[in-house]
Amino acid sequence: MEDKAKMVGEVFSQVASKYDLMNDAMSGGMHRMWKDDFVAMLGPCRGMSIVDLAGGTGDISFRMIDALSSQRKIVGSAESAIDTHVTVCDINAEMLQEGRRRAKNDRPAVVDGISLQWVQGDAENLPFPDGSVDAVTIAFGLRNVSRTWKALSEINRILTKGGRFLCMEFSQVKDPLLRQAYDAYSFNVIPAMGGFLAGDPQPYQYLVESIRQFHDQETLADLMRDAGMKHVTYKNILGGVVAIHSGFRL
Amino acid sequence: LLQVLACPLTKSKLTYNEETNELISEEAGVAYPIVNGIPNMIPHDARIIDQ
């Protein structure tokens, strides 16, 4: 258990700055679209308190800020009052520093009543009070958590009544033909790309393995229900290469 | 930030120690460091406060 956590820490320290490049190469640029859809699905609104987990470099949170910025500040609050909180919580300090670096250019810590904050934390022991968060998101991060059930339990704990959990993650492809093509791509092309672009195939071998070992769609949905979430649903992208799961605390 | 965070161990309130630049959890008896402006709320990395 400790081994996996350490390995994950090392893997991400290595890949922090090359993260985007590899994401683009591996998904043919599609990961951007997936992330756009993911945030659109949440439909972030002013007044919400949102926690984005494992989102160190800011991909998801920046999209949230963009969506929120186009909405008007809640009427009645004082000039300097913050009505919306977005917190990025990641286990890796380097990823967070990278995210904060990118944010400094476009998105200051507080703009027009929306705050963007960075916290180093563990999904299995979330540093947030019970029932304090309206939405928890995690994009391509849940598979890196050692004990999925523990993270889900913590996520459910911090959600308010009516709060929503949205998870985007690599999942299982059922169709045999598609599966064959996908496996060939994953096991051959991806580590080779990693070796070429990032100089080290190992993190990408880890990536491919972690995808293969992660829970399939139904299992993850059951785990979410076990954690107390209701109205648990999921939808597949690319035949199951990626799945988006949704659950509520009611 | 203080409004938003809680101690990951006890889930209780935190206080800020300006001198040491740490977030203190009295209930857990630990202090979480703030490194380069980012609080490290990993229990493993917290400093135990002598009482």
Side-chain angles (χ1 to χ4, degrees), chain A residues 29 55 66 86 97 119 144 164 169 186 192 216 220:
Chain A
D66 288 342
V86 177
Q97 292 293 351
V119 171
N144 297 311
R164 186 179 197 185
E169 188 51 87
S186 306
D216 69 12
L220 181 56

Side-chain angles (χ1 to χ4, degrees), chain A residues 8-226:
Chain A
V8 169
E10 283 164 13
V11 163
F12 281 96
S13 292
Q14 285 183 48
V15 309
S17 53
K18 297 235 168 85
Y19 191 60
D20 283 347
L21 178 62
M22 273 309 294
N23 282 344
D24 276 331
M26 290 190 295
S27 69
M30 284 188 289
H31 74 105
R32 293 165 193 266
M33 210 170 60
W34 297 337
K35 286 166 183 167
D36 290 342
D37 288 347
F38 184 64
V39 174
M41 216 172 133
L42 177 66
C45 292
R46 288 280 195 160
M48 272 182 156
S49 164
I50 301 168
V51 169
D52 179 46
L53 294 176
T57 50
D59 280 1
I60 297 297
S61 52
F62 294 164
R63 284 169 167 83
M64 299 225 223
I65 301 285
D66 288 342
L68 290 162
S69 298
S70 61
Q71 297 171 29
R72 237 174 312 157
K73 194 168 172 193
I74 290 179
V75 175
S77 10
E79 268 307 308
S80 55
I82 299 171
D83 63 19
T84 312
H85 301 262
V86 177
T87 307
V88 180
C89 178
D90 196 301
I91 201 165
N92 185 285
E94 271 100 345
M95 292 290 267
L96 289 164
Q97 292 293 351
E98 179 65 27
R100 210 165 60 127
R101 235 173 275 132
R102 296 181 191 187
K104 280 240 150 74
N105 306 323
D106 266 319
R107 295 162 189 82
V110 182
V111 63
D112 191 31
I114 307 167
S115 82
L116 174 61
Q117 303 188 108
W118 309 83
V119 171
Q120 186 178 4
D122 180 358
E124 297 188 11
N125 286 292
L126 287 173
F128 303 98
D130 297 0
S132 62
V133 177
D134 297 304
V136 175
T137 53
I138 184 167
F140 303 114
L142 193 58
R143 73 177 185 281
N144 297 311
V145 176
S146 301
R147 288 170 291 192
T148 315
W149 66 268
K150 200 151 196 276
L152 292 173
S153 165
E154 277 289 276
I155 291 165
N156 197 58
R157 176 185 69 79
I158 71 173
L159 283 171
T160 54
K161 192 168 151 82
R164 186 179 197 185
F165 170 54
L166 265 191
C167 167
M168 179 159 68
E169 188 51 87
F170 290 110
S171 198
Q172 305 303 326
V173 175
K174 302 291 188 223
D175 176 82
L177 271 178
L178 206 55
R179 178 81 207 226
Q180 220 180 9
Y182 180 49
D183 281 349
Y185 181 70
S186 306
F187 290 104
N188 301 314
V189 179
I190 290 182
M193 261 201 261
F196 179 69
L197 287 174
D200 185 357
Q202 235 182 7
Y204 301 94
Q205 274 156 6
Y206 164 74
L207 170 68
V208 173
E209 265 309 304
S210 70
I211 293 172
R212 207 164 66 123
Q213 288 176 27
F214 190 65
H215 320 280
D216 69 12
Q217 288 85 334
E218 282 298 327
T219 310
L220 181 56
D222 282 338
L223 285 172
M224 286 168 64
R225 291 177 193 114
D226 289 344

Side-chain angles (χ1 to χ4, degrees), chain B residues 4-17:
Chain B
V4 163
L5 296 180
C7 170
L9 294 166
T10 60
K11 318 304 181 190
S12 59
K13 269 205 271 255
L14 299 161
T15 53
Y16 176 54
N17 181 333

